[in-house]
Structures are given as structure tokens and as C-alpha cells.
Amino acid sequence: MRAALIEQTLELAAERCPDLTPLVYERLFAREPQMLALFWRDTNGAIKGEMLARVFEAILDFVGARLYAHHLIQCEVVTHAGYDVPPDVFATFFGLVGEVVREAAGTDWTPAMESAWDRLLADLDFYVTHPDQAAAA
């Protein structure tokens, strides 16, 4: 049920806004302005677009078969620490992706969708805050 609701919200958002990338990153940079400097090479938005596409793929796997997403998130927390991205920014990022999806879905957003996203964000937060895969097993 939760997976279907998350998928539905992503589909609604994609129908209404074919490219959520500018909205997501504008929000990220408003909340975490220090992150803007890390994208100095991304002059055409391709890096941001690819990163967001991977986030959506990871979310879909995470609520579905969970074949890789939980480990990917843990690995990316560690990898991005090397780029001076603190782990709490990952939690911020997933949360603001949810906000942008909610806004794009508009009046079709339901309390059940809100609940599904709340649960998703709480579950994702565990892997963001526990990047040691052995400890999270």
C-alpha cells in the first residue's frame, strides 16, 4: 500500500511538472546555502538532474523490493562526506524532495499520501544516520 502511494505521488508530480530538478535544488540552496558552492561545475544542471533521478530510483526501490537502495544511501552518505556534505543534509534533501512532490501533486495529495511520505522519510533517516552497514544490519 505504501509503495503504491509513493509511486502515485511521484507519477502525479511528474505529470504536473516534468522536471522537478530546479524546484528541488532551489529549495536545497535556500535551506542549505553552503551546498550551492559544491555545484560550481554543474553549469547546465545535468549533475543535479542525474542526482535527482537517482534519488527517485532509490526511493522506488526502497519502498519496493529494497534490493539496493538502503545500501546505496549508506554509501552515498559516506561518499558525500568526502565532498563536505554533512549527513543531516541528506535528511534535509529527502524531506525537501517530498515537499516538492507534495506541492506538485497539488489538490490530489491525500492524508494517506502524507502518511506514506512521513513513514518513508523516517525509514530513510535511519540509513542516513547509520551509514555503517555492519551496524545497521
Side-chain angles (χ1 to χ4, degrees):
M1 172 84 168
R2 181 174 64 134
L5 286 167
I6 297 297
E7 290 172 14
Q8 184 181 9
T9 64
L10 295 176
E11 289 169 4
L12 281 170
E15 288 170 7
R16 300 200 174 138
C17 184
D19 187 5
L20 297 174
T21 306
L23 301 173
V24 168
Y25 282 91
E26 285 171 15
R27 193 163 298 200
L28 173 66
F29 299 147
R31 291 202 187 146
E32 305 286 346
Q34 74 279 16
M35 294 295 105
L36 180 59
L38 299 178
F39 289 89
W40 64 272
R41 293 183 336 175
D42 190 19
T43 57
N44 65 2
I47 295 170
K48 291 184 283 288
E50 180 180 341
M51 287 176 60
L52 186 59
R54 289 179 185 238
V55 165
F56 289 138
E57 290 169 3
I59 287 171
L60 290 170
D61 179 72
F62 193 85
V63 299
R66 202 176 288 194
L67 299 174
Y68 69 91
H70 53 303
H71 295 301
L72 174 70
I73 292 163
Q74 290 172 310
C75 289
E76 290 301 322
V77 169
V78 173
T79 299
H80 280 71
Y83 300 131
D84 295 324
V85 177
D88 63 314
V89 172
F90 269 74
T92 299
F93 192 78
F94 284 119
L96 66 87
V97 167
E99 291 171 15
V100 169
V101 169
R102 179 186 329 112
E103 289 172 12
T107 58
D108 288 326
W109 190 265
T110 67
M113 291 172 178
E114 186 73 23
S115 178
W117 269 92
D118 287 346
R119 174 77 189 275
L120 169 63
L121 294 174
D123 290 349
L124 287 169
D125 189 59
F126 174 82
Y127 292 96
V128 170
T129 58
H130 295 86
D132 180 353
Q133 293 179 6

